[in-house]
Structures are given as C-alpha cells and as structure tokens.
Amino acid sequence: MKQHRHFHFSTSVIAYPIFFVLIIWVMFWADVRFGLRLSKFGIYPQTLKGLRGVLFSPFIHGSIKHLAHNSVPLLVLSSALFYFYRPIAWKVIGYGILVSGFLTWFIGRPSYHIGASGLIYVLVSFIFFKGVFAKYYRLIALSLLVVFLYGSMIWYTLPIEKGISWEGHLAGLITGLLFAFIFKKSIAKPKKYVWEQPDYNEDDDPFLKHFDENGNFIENLEPEIEEEESIIIRYSYKEYKENDD
C-alpha cells in the first residue's frame, strides 16, 4: 500500500484512460457500421426505460465531432485523476457516471441525453475543487491548469445552446463538487522533503554545514577537535608506539 501514498507515474496512468476512450470509439464505430442506433439507450428523463441510459449514455455519441470533442478532455482529465488520486480514481469514475446520470434523469428535458460530457464535468469539478480544498501546491497548480484549459465549459451548464445537454453538464458539475467533499481523506499524500518535517533543525543539517552564511561552499571542512580530545588522541598514539617497541 505504500506505493499509493505518494504521487508516482505508472503505466496505468495512461493505459486505463486510453482503454476507456478506445471503448467509446469502438462503440461509435459499431453504431455507424451496423446501424445500431444506440442513441435510444441514452438517458430519457423521468421514464423507467430511460434509466438504462445512466449506464450506457457515456459510451454513446451522436457524431464524430461529438466524439472527438469529448475524447481529448476525457483522456487528459482521467490521466490526471489516476496520477494524483489513484486510490479513488475508479470510485470517482464509477460513482460519477451513476450519480451524474441519475441527476440528469431527474432534472433533464424529455429527450435522449448521450455522451461522456457528463463524466468530463465530474472530473473537471472534482479535480478543481479537490485541489482547492487540499491546500497543497501541486494540486492547486493542477486546479489552475484545469481552469485554464476547461474553464469556459462552465457556460455550458446553462441553457445557452440548443441541442446540448446542459442538464448533464450541470449534473456532472454538482457531482464532482459533492465528491470533493465526500472523499476528503482519500487523497494522495505528497512526500515531504527533510526540510519540510516539523522537527527539522537547519543547524543540524550535515549538508548545510558545507556552506557558509553567504551560501559559499567550504572546500576544506574538517571536524573541530577540542584540546582535551586532541591530547587524548596523541597520548593514545604514543602509548601505542611504546607498546609496539
């Protein structure tokens, strides 16, 4: 379990997101190739039949443009999730699909809601708010990066464009915020350097003793020997020579 306590890179950081996106592309190819019309498996709010879309809708897309627009942010955000929040990454994705799907089903218009954008909003919201709540500079930097890349997405949680499921986006945003509170203690613990430890004393640092007050390297640093210790050392050496003779 120690390997999960600090940030570290592994093949799963990239492999899982690529595999997830690949499944979505295969689903789209099968839909077009065989005329499956998978959109009917999307979320249709406030109907019992429409509940199946809670599970299936993130894997269904209406066009190649729709799929391409979702693939890149999904790949980037899920990779960041697996790198910085590995212990809870699958929980955020799995529960994020379910919770945001149910919210979409509850508040959505009577139409089929499809696409992975709801999950993308879950990831954007969770990564941003969790970084702010964690108060750790790496996670805050990640939050700022998310805002820089995807901050404009906030407008699509409002009904400003016809044909876009703003309800799914809003559901994802709310879900990510809730998860940022729920998973308060399940975040990565960044490894602290020696000087970040609470009991660290700069005067006792053997490395810093090689530098003077101005930061210059001391080339000939020899241990200081007190006079009494020096006499004992010389006496011991003389005694050794006498015994040797």
Side-chain angles (χ1 to χ4, degrees):
M1 292 299 292
K2 290 183 179 180
Q3 62 179 351
H4 296 308
R5 296 175 63 184
H6 307 303
F7 305 141
H8 71 285
F9 182 83
S10 69
T11 55
S12 62
V13 173
I14 296 296
Y16 291 147
I18 290 178
F19 181 71
F20 190 73
V21 173
L22 183 61
I23 291 177
I24 295 176
W25 277 88
V26 171
M27 291 284 290
F28 179 77
W29 171 83
D31 189 15
V32 175
R33 177 66 178 81
F34 301 105
L36 302 177
R37 295 185 179 181
L38 295 178
S39 60
K40 62 185 178 182
F41 290 94
I43 298 173
Y44 200 93
Q46 291 138 40
T47 64
L48 187 60
K49 188 177 180 180
L51 278 173
R52 62 187 180 183
V54 172
L55 292 176
F56 298 131
S57 62
F59 303 95
I60 304 171
H61 291 79
S63 65
I64 189 69
K65 183 180 179 181
H66 185 202
L67 177 58
H69 284 175
N70 282 345
S71 295
V72 175
L74 184 60
L75 183 62
V76 172
L77 293 168
S78 57
S79 296
L81 182 71
F82 275 99
Y83 181 75
F84 289 97
Y85 303 100
R86 187 190 311 272
I88 57 174
W90 285 116
K91 290 182 180 180
V92 172
I93 292 176
Y95 292 147
I97 291 174
L98 294 177
V99 176
S100 64
F102 277 117
L103 284 176
T104 303
W105 180 86
F106 184 75
I107 67 175
R109 293 163 290 173
S111 179
Y112 286 106
H113 297 254
I114 59 175
S117 55
L119 177 59
I120 291 172
Y121 274 81
V122 171
L123 298 180
V124 169
S125 178
F126 173 79
I127 293 174
F128 172 75
F129 288 110
K130 175 54 72 176
V132 173
F133 297 157
K135 297 180 181 179
Y136 177 62
Y137 71 93
R138 290 189 185 180
L139 300 181
I140 293 175
L142 177 63
S143 297
L144 295 177
L145 180 61
V146 168
V147 170
F148 176 76
L149 294 176
Y150 305 111
S152 61
M153 292 173 58
I154 188 67
W155 298 110
Y156 293 99
T157 60
L158 302 173
I160 62 175
E161 187 172 340
K162 186 178 180 180
I164 292 181
S165 177
W166 64 269
E167 299 97 329
H169 299 168
L170 180 61
L173 185 69
I174 295 173
T175 301
L177 176 59
L178 290 175
F179 286 0
F181 283 105
I182 293 173
F183 297 115
K184 286 190 294 187
K185 298 180 180 180
S186 301
I187 63 172
K189 297 179 180 179
K191 186 176 182 179
K192 291 186 177 181
Y193 295 98
V194 175
W195 54 83
E196 295 179 301
Q197 302 296 335
D199 57 346
Y200 170 72
N201 188 351
E202 185 176 295
D203 296 331
D204 296 333
D205 194 323
F207 177 76
L208 294 181
K209 289 182 179 180
H210 289 272
F211 298 87
D212 60 18
E213 296 179 355
N214 298 321
N216 299 319
F217 181 73
I218 305 175
E219 296 183 359
N220 298 320
L221 183 64
E222 297 180 355
E224 298 180 358
I225 302 177
E226 297 181 0
E227 184 65 22
E228 183 178 353
E229 293 177 344
S230 179
I231 295 173
I232 293 174
I233 292 173
R234 287 197 295 270
Y235 177 80
S236 300
Y237 177 74
K238 180 180 179 182
E239 184 181 27
Y240 169 76
K241 292 294 291 182
E242 290 176 354
N243 295 335
D244 187 49
D245 293 339

